[in-house]
Amino acid sequence: MKKYILKMLCICAGFLFSACGNGILGGESVDGRREEESSIRAEGENGQGGRDGAGNVVTEGLGNKFDTQNQDTDAMHGDTSAKNSFITAGMYREIGIRNPPDVEERGETYSGTYLNAQGKIELVTFSPWMDTGGEMLFCYTLNEDGVSWDRQPILWTEGLKGKMQQNRITVLFGEDQNYYAYYCDEGQLYHMVRKEEDSFVEIVIKDWDKSEVHKYPVIPGEVAVLQCGNIVMVDTVGNCFIYSPDGSKILASFRCGWCETICVTGNDIFVLDHENTSILRYDGKNMKMLPSFAGDFTSIVRLSVFGDTLFVCSPEGIFSAELKEEENLTSEEIRLTKWLDSGKFHFSKENGYPLNLFSLGDTFYIVYAEQWGKVKKYVKRKEGEEFLDTLTVYSLENSELVIDMIAEFIMKYPEIDVHYETGEGTQGSTMISDHIRALNTRILAGDGPDILILDGLPAQSYVKKGILVDLSTALYGVLGELQENIVSNYRQGNRIYMLPMRYMIPMIATSGQNAQIFSSLSDLVTYCEEGEGNKVIMPGVPYSYIIELLYYNFPPKIVSEDGSVNKDNLLEFIRLAKRFCEAEGAVASEEVAGSAFKFRAGVRKRGYFDGNTLSSYGYGEQVISFINMTGIYELSTYPELVESCGGALLGNKGMFFPNGVIGVNAYAKQKNLAYRFIEAVFSYEMQRIHSSNAGFSLYGKVLSEDAT
């Protein structure tokens, strides 16, 4: 869920307020007020552009730092005349591959993937053999139909039973065409074995043990084996080691980036460098560094090689580079070019976590670390390819939750093509108000999207104008399973025109303070001014982050019942916010924020609303912390932390923040298909899907399962 900015001008001061909808748990909904504010933004004279959590303007455009294919100019060095000749996302399809059947029911856990000698994906699982009395590891091979899996036990590892710590074992297929495994024993030491007929032989790598050089055991991050038999290991702190085939010698080592970026083919090692600026290429047989591939990565990358081409996948897209052997080439001459735009594919998510990338020509497979582990296939659309129907989903800004829901829907209904549109893709304007006007024009002309994600849109106005339809029929089968204290905020009589797919809960961690100090912003400010020890926010936090936090937890009633702006309430909020900032040692901008704040608070242009508490509560430097609970992780972490601080975890007057408020366009061309999408989104199967930082499920059974 993104934030949208409401800029209020007054004589005393001007602040940026993030204006995303919120609601009340078990109480009166404030969605109406927030939607009216959205209408003001859409219809006012001074529409504001989209901004991030720090209040920075978000501009349109691709903005990638890589070259694109077949360009005569250098886009990486700022020449904007370069032509975007890469493959657009619309020319590819994302196809979800269902996990092997009954894997979760059998209690098997994901343990890794690789390509076998035939170029097929093999997926390894760890079975609860101590409970079942059966085999320990299983291999699932994806068949050529791309749908079904063949299941076989990995019998050569049976002799390792009882030697390892829980399920800490990884199986791999080496470039030398042998199977290997490495595992951790009860003493926290790692071992490596190679398949030998129906059993295994151990490869003793002494460097992995404690020694005079290492006072601690080495923790292998990723291990691979080259064609020549040399063993490659990247540890968890950015060191790559090459060992002899018997493990007795360290042949070479070099610094590198994160271990999971490693990819080997033949005798070549590819891995992200330590500064995230390029892909290293190392000859693991002749022990020499080859020219690297220039890039500038800001997020997760995964590598794969097919033939003579290196592929790099990141949220910006899939990039490629031809593998050349010329000795005189420099890194500046070997540049990554964009192969495929990321569009709204699953790997475009900043919060996603791909584990593996496999390239087979112009077809790609990506394994994601979500739920049990998911495999998705990316394949070129066929000319004249037809679908049973086409559904269009729209949101004002890109939503990773929506991407997740669409991906699951496509898995369930592969015969339906789904197009995801956002206001961010609108050409010619960066104004939110312009995006809304353009959407309204399309809707009234009968050319609008079928599904509307209403975050930031004037939803209540849409209801009054008959743009949204009643969802009660579509929700009939599951409505009794959804949390009524959430649903009740969206009932209008016996009708429901919209409903959030997820919700977040604002909470306050105390150190034993009286809950009365949180009853209003005025009471909290008075508490902060009473003494130097009453720290709520650590020194050096930018004003913009604090305003966001205060606005969401103590929302002022800016819009009166008649729709006018209540200047008195606005001015009072600004005065109180100013006093709070002064008492807490806030700074004017992020640029002057202290390095300690950036390190300890984990600031990455993300604020309170994304679950970042901007807090040193856990270090004892703050006595109070405001937390936006974005999922089960926070609820499993903070209760114990709060107890250690002698405090309590309090709800904030029953408030909640909806995420992904969804509705159906009354003028939709595919209304029945839109109803089917609503049914799927609120089904048990899709409500239990983990979507990073998206919030809690509305499905009561899912919450009960998460709690246990």
Side-chain angles (χ1 to χ4, degrees):
M1 174 171 50
K2 296 284 188 177
K3 297 171 288 297
Y4 306 96
I5 303 302
L6 175 63
K7 187 177 182 181
M8 295 296 186
L9 299 178
C10 64
I11 297 176
C12 297
F15 284 98
L16 297 175
F17 300 119
S18 298
C20 179
N22 64 356
I24 303 296
L25 276 173
E28 180 184 358
S29 172
V30 296
D31 283 337
R33 171 177 59 79
R34 305 306 295 276
E35 299 302 345
E36 290 302 323
E37 292 172 8
S38 297
S39 298
I40 292 172
R41 291 199 302 279
E43 299 168 2
E45 296 180 359
N46 299 314
Q48 295 298 308
R51 297 175 185 263
D52 61 19
N56 302 305
V57 176
V58 177
T59 57
E60 293 287 327
L62 180 64
N64 73 79
K65 300 181 181 180
F66 299 86
D67 292 340
T68 53
Q69 289 183 353
N70 304 321
Q71 290 182 352
D72 297 326
T73 51
D74 191 355
M76 196 169 190
H77 288 84
D79 190 333
T80 57
S81 63
K83 297 179 181 179
N84 294 336
S85 56
F86 50 80
I87 299 174
T88 61
M91 295 178 66
Y92 261 70
R93 286 189 65 199
E94 179 180 76
I95 302 173
I97 299 174
R98 292 191 178 278
N99 288 333
D102 303 326
V103 166
E104 292 182 83
E105 287 75 6
R106 283 193 290 261
E108 296 175 21
T109 56
Y110 172 83
S111 187
T113 52
Y114 50 80
L115 290 180
N116 64 17
Q118 291 75 43
K120 294 183 177 181
I121 293 178
E122 290 192 350
L123 185 152
V124 178
T125 65
F126 185 92
S127 177
W129 59 273
M130 294 184 69
D131 298 329
T132 64
E135 294 86 356
M136 181 174 64
L137 294 174
F138 285 89
C139 173
Y140 292 83
T141 304
L142 184 63
N143 290 318
E144 292 183 1
D145 60 10
V147 177
S148 61
W149 301 81
D150 281 339
R151 178 178 186 255
Q152 294 291 334
I154 304 179
L155 298 177
W156 66 269
T157 61
E158 288 293 281
L160 295 175
K161 284 182 175 179
K163 295 183 178 182
M164 68 188 63
Q165 183 184 115
Q166 299 177 352
N167 61 345
R168 295 175 65 178
I169 183 172
T170 301
V171 177
L172 60 101
F173 184 69
E175 288 292 294
D176 63 348
Q177 306 300 292
N178 287 311
Y179 283 93
Y180 295 83
Y182 59 101
Y183 66 93
C184 181
D185 67 18
E186 293 291 345
Q188 304 297 321
L189 298 179
Y190 277 84
H191 305 265
M192 187 168 182
V193 297
R194 182 180 66 246
K195 180 179 183 296
E196 194 83 6
E197 296 183 350
D198 295 333
S199 187
F200 59 84
V201 294
E202 183 162 4
I203 301 172
V204 179
I205 304 179
K206 295 182 178 179
D207 185 57
W208 288 7
D209 201 345
K210 297 179 182 178
S211 66
E212 294 181 0
V213 177
H214 300 287
K215 302 299 182 184
Y216 52 87
V218 170
I219 302 178
E222 293 288 329
V223 178
V225 179
L226 303 178
Q227 191 175 57
C228 64
N230 288 344
I231 299 167
V232 181
M233 186 273 288
V234 180
D235 63 22
T236 55
V237 292
N239 297 299
C240 183
F241 296 90
I242 297 96
Y243 303 96
S244 60
D246 62 1
S248 63
K249 298 178 182 178
I250 298 178
L251 303 177
S253 65
F254 58 89
R255 289 286 283 161
C256 65
W258 181 238
C259 58
E260 289 182 342
T261 61
I262 187 174
C263 166
V264 301
T265 181
N267 292 314
D268 283 356
I269 304 165
F270 299 88
V271 65
L272 188 66
D273 80 338
H274 198 256
E275 300 299 327
N276 292 357
T277 57
S278 63
I279 304 297
L280 300 177
R281 182 184 185 185
Y282 189 87
D283 183 340
K285 180 179 181 181
N286 298 309
M287 308 304 154
K288 62 179 180 179
M289 189 69 71
L290 301 176
S292 58
F293 301 85
D296 190 0
F297 305 100
T298 58
S299 51
I300 290 176
V301 300
R302 293 293 178 260
L303 311 177
S304 179
V305 173
F306 182 82
D308 60 355
T309 303
L310 169 70
F311 291 98
V312 181
C313 179
S314 79
E316 290 78 29
I318 294 179
F319 301 84
S320 69
E322 184 180 352
L323 300 179
K324 301 179 180 180
E325 299 296 338
E326 289 86 343
E327 292 284 345
N328 58 348
L329 284 177
T330 65
S331 295
E332 286 301 312
E333 294 174 297
I334 308 178
R335 309 191 62 77
L336 290 164
T337 58
K338 178 169 276 193
W339 174 281
L340 174 65
D341 187 30
S342 62
K344 303 296 189 299
F345 289 140
H346 214 67
F347 63 83
S348 69
K349 296 170 42 175
E350 292 183 2
N351 287 323
Y353 201 85
L355 291 173
N356 266 330
L357 167 69
F358 301 117
S359 55
L360 299 175
D362 55 6
T363 298
F364 303 93
Y365 293 84
I366 299 178
V367 184
Y368 296 94
E370 298 172 12
Q371 292 297 107
W372 185 86
K374 295 182 178 179
V375 182
K376 294 186 183 295
K377 179 181 180 180
Y378 300 85
V379 61
K380 280 188 175 180
R381 289 179 180 266
K382 299 176 182 177
E383 187 175 351
E385 187 174 18
E386 295 183 358
F387 293 89
L388 184 64
D389 282 304
T390 300
L391 179 73
T392 304
V393 181
Y394 177 95
S395 64
L396 195 56
E397 289 190 356
N398 194 58
S399 166
E400 296 191 355
L401 172 61
V402 175
I403 290 175
D404 287 340
M405 295 297 102
I406 290 175
E408 291 302 315
F409 183 78
I410 292 174
M411 280 190 64
K412 190 172 184 179
Y413 300 103
E415 71 279 7
I416 296 173
D417 202 15
V418 181
H419 292 170
Y420 179 28
E421 303 174 359
T422 66
E424 295 172 321
T426 305
Q427 298 298 317
S429 174
T430 60
M431 300 295 184
I432 288 178
S433 57
D434 290 342
H435 296 334
I436 296 177
R437 289 192 189 97
L439 174 64
N440 292 345
T441 300
R442 288 178 57 196
I443 290 174
L444 296 178
D447 191 36
D450 306 300
I451 294 288
L452 295 170
I453 305 302
L454 299 160
D455 297 359
L457 294 176
Q460 293 299 335
S461 176
Y462 283 179
V463 173
K464 293 176 183 177
K465 294 176 181 178
I467 292 176
L468 298 179
V469 301
D470 180 22
L471 303 179
S472 299
T473 301
L475 295 170
Y476 177 78
V478 298
L479 204 53
E481 305 293 338
L482 305 182
Q483 296 180 78
E484 180 59 26
N485 55 352
I486 302 293
V487 176
S488 62
N489 289 280
Y490 296 89
R491 293 186 186 276
Q492 297 192 18
N494 60 352
R495 300 191 175 191
I496 300 174
Y497 293 99
M498 66 193 83
L499 204 60
M501 293 185 282
R502 297 287 193 275
Y503 68 94
M504 305 175 186
I505 307 173
M507 302 193 78
I508 304 168
T510 77
S511 300
Q513 292 81 7
N514 190 321
Q516 178 62 32
I517 67 174
F518 309 111
S519 61
S520 68
L521 180 56
S522 176
D523 288 337
L524 178 64
V525 170
T526 299
Y527 168 80
C528 294
E529 292 176 334
E530 284 179 349
E532 294 183 1
N534 296 342
K535 283 299 176 188
V536 177
I537 294 295
M538 61 189 299
V541 177
Y543 290 161
S544 59
Y545 285 77
I546 294 180
I547 294 300
E548 180 184 56
L549 185 151
L550 296 180
Y551 184 78
Y552 280 117
N553 283 278
F554 304 96
K557 190 172 179 56
I558 295 175
V559 181
S560 301
E561 297 297 332
D562 60 1
S564 62
V565 176
N566 190 319
K567 295 182 180 179
D568 291 337
N569 287 351
L570 174 60
L571 287 171
E572 177 64 11
F573 176 80
I574 291 174
R575 292 189 186 103
L576 290 171
K578 182 175 184 292
R579 288 170 56 190
F580 182 93
C581 289
E582 290 175 347
E584 295 296 311
V587 295
S589 68
E590 185 182 347
E591 283 69 27
V592 298
S595 59
F597 162 71
K598 291 186 177 183
F599 172 74
R600 297 292 286 277
V603 175
R604 295 177 297 172
K605 292 190 180 300
R606 295 176 57 197
Y608 160 82
F609 203 71
D610 297 291
N612 187 333
T613 63
L614 310 178
S615 172
S616 280
Y617 176 82
Y619 295 97
E621 298 176 14
Q622 289 175 234
V623 295
I624 295 171
S625 178
F626 286 83
I627 306 160
N628 183 27
M629 297 288 186
T630 62
I632 198 66
Y633 172 77
E634 287 88 353
L635 282 182
S636 65
T637 302
Y638 278 97
E640 184 177 353
L641 179 60
V642 169
E643 183 179 357
S644 69
C645 294
L649 197 57
L650 307 175
N652 192 350
K653 297 179 285 294
M655 294 175 62
F656 73 91
F657 301 139
N659 185 11
V661 180
I662 191 171
V664 172
N665 177 9
Y667 301 93
K669 295 179 181 178
Q670 297 285 358
K671 197 176 297 181
N672 289 334
L673 194 56
Y675 287 147
R676 190 184 301 182
F677 188 82
I678 296 293
E679 291 173 2
V681 162
F682 290 100
S683 67
Y684 167 74
E685 291 75 18
M686 286 177 65
Q687 281 287 301
R688 69 191 291 260
I689 296 300
H690 170 73
S691 189
S692 181
N693 293 326
F696 298 94
S697 168
L698 269 69
Y699 211 102
K701 182 179 177 181
V702 174
L703 288 179
S704 298
E705 291 173 349
D706 287 342
T708 57

